[in-house]
Amino acid sequence: MNERFLREAIDQAFEGMRTGQGGPFGAVIVRDGKIIGRGCNRVTSTNDPTAHAEIVAIREACTNAAHFHLPDAVLYASCEPCPMCLAAIYWAGIQTVYYGADRNDAERIGFGDRFIYDELALPPGARSITMQRMELPEARALFEEWERNGEKVMY
């Protein structure tokens, strides 16, 4: 069963790549033996750097599930998820991921994410992107109002 869904993720990657949607990446999300989300990389066709296959599949699965958490779902990806997609998988509450190629395979064809993994390990001030905290009272007030909100939906 797992191989079937991984092959479907790979088919998504082939389809997206061959139709000019983006790079060679695909993903499907499965719940109760049924695919509830599909995605291929659409970065270049949509000019959206976040349109990775896993993100596209998570968005579709959440829409179909009518919820932002997918703890009972499994994600199958043609390649090991990058740091952004891995973070989205955590945010979605997905507990299991199966993947085909790994980050080293992706790096060999020009999709190197190693620098992002390395940057995440650094304190904000040491990263190659300038990151500087600016403390404004409104930022704290925003969180205080959220904290008092009796109707908030936690995620």
Side-chain angles (χ1 to χ4, degrees):
M1 184 82 109
N2 291 339
E3 287 182 13
R4 178 180 135 222
F5 293 126
L6 183 55
R7 282 190 175 94
E8 180 62 31
I10 293 167
D11 287 345
Q12 289 290 305
F14 272 120
E15 176 71 17
M17 181 181 65
R18 290 173 177 165
T19 58
Q21 294 182 64
F25 304 99
V28 297
I29 297 177
V30 176
R31 182 168 59 183
D32 299 326
K34 296 180 182 161
I35 295 174
I36 61 169
R38 299 171 188 272
C40 65
N41 182 287
R42 297 180 182 162
V43 170
T44 57
S45 62
T46 62
N47 295 318
D48 178 355
T50 69
H52 289 200
E54 297 89 338
I55 302 291
V56 172
I58 288 169
R59 289 173 180 161
E60 183 175 289
C62 287
T63 297
N64 289 334
H67 205 275
F68 52 84
H69 271 138
L70 303 167
D72 54 348
V74 177
L75 187 143
Y76 296 83
S78 62
C79 185
E80 179 181 359
C82 75
M84 176 184 69
C85 293
L86 183 59
I89 289 163
Y90 277 107
W91 280 115
I94 295 170
Q95 299 292 308
T96 304
V97 175
Y98 295 98
Y99 60 91
D102 69 14
R103 68 178 85 170
N104 298 312
D105 297 319
E107 188 166 6
R108 276 193 288 280
I109 61 166
F111 292 95
D113 299 327
R114 185 180 320 273
F115 81 97
I116 298 174
Y117 286 104
D118 293 344
E119 288 277 309
L120 289 172
L122 298 172
R127 295 178 184 156
S128 64
I129 296 171
T130 301
M131 297 185 73
Q132 184 172 341
R133 184 174 182 184
M134 295 177 60
E135 294 188 54
L136 294 176
E138 296 89 345
R140 189 175 312 275
L142 176 66
F143 280 10
E144 289 168 356
E145 185 173 324
W146 172 259
E147 195 171 39
R148 290 189 309 270
N149 181 347
E151 296 180 22
K152 64 184 170 220
V153 176
M154 292 303 296
Y155 58 94

